[in-house]
Amino acid sequence: MSSNPFLGTWQLRSGEFGEHGQPVTPYDMSRLQSRKVISQQGFSFLTLQDGKFYSAASGSYRFDEADYVETPAMTTWPVPEGQQYTFRYEFIDGLWHNKRTENGVQVEHEIWEKVAD
């Protein structure tokens, strides 16, 4: 892929998440805010819940025609060294949709909107 469609600042619009055998549940977007900044060198994100700090991470990423892969270097939760998160992605009407599965089961689906280049 010759250009990088991920560069810029992204605002989380909606999502759902579940892990460790728990059902996938929608994010409560009335309580949650998240921004992700992606540069040529890496990514970082910050999430607030009820206006207070909730989580953050930064690290490197790579992508191809189907997958966007983050390798966190610093996080506010325990992550094994070298852990990668692989998302299937697509852009629909200017929105970035990504889905992550574990053992063939969808555990995460997020929709991001670019708010700055």
Side-chain angles (χ1 to χ4, degrees):
M1 193 173 277
S2 60
S3 65
N4 185 340
F6 299 100
L7 296 177
T9 302
W10 299 84
Q11 178 79 31
L12 182 66
R13 289 296 168 221
S14 66
E16 56 186 14
F17 180 74
E19 65 180 343
H20 309 296
Q22 299 298 312
V24 174
T25 57
Y27 297 162
D28 181 351
M29 295 308 296
S30 69
R31 300 179 62 211
L32 196 70
Q33 295 176 302
S34 188
R35 285 254 172 121
K36 184 177 289 211
V37 177
I38 301 177
S39 70
Q40 291 285 6
Q41 292 75 33
F43 78 93
S44 62
F45 75 81
L46 174 68
T47 302
L48 302 177
Q49 184 169 308
D50 298 325
K52 296 179 181 167
F53 177 80
Y54 180 73
S55 68
S58 66
S60 62
Y61 72 96
R62 63 181 168 78
F63 68 96
D64 59 26
E65 291 79 21
D67 294 325
Y68 168 85
V69 181
E70 290 181 345
T71 305
M74 296 187 303
T75 65
T76 57
W77 66 92
V79 175
E81 186 174 338
Q83 171 75 45
Q84 295 186 324
Y85 297 95
T86 300
F87 299 87
R88 282 283 178 176
Y89 75 87
E90 60 184 328
F91 291 95
I92 302 171
D93 297 329
L95 299 175
W96 169 22
H97 294 246
N98 65 45
K99 295 180 182 178
R100 185 168 63 89
T101 61
E102 290 180 1
N103 302 316
V105 176
Q106 181 178 307
V107 296
E108 190 171 10
H109 177 210
E110 294 180 333
I111 300 173
W112 296 84
E113 179 180 14
K114 187 179 274 190
V115 294
D117 287 324

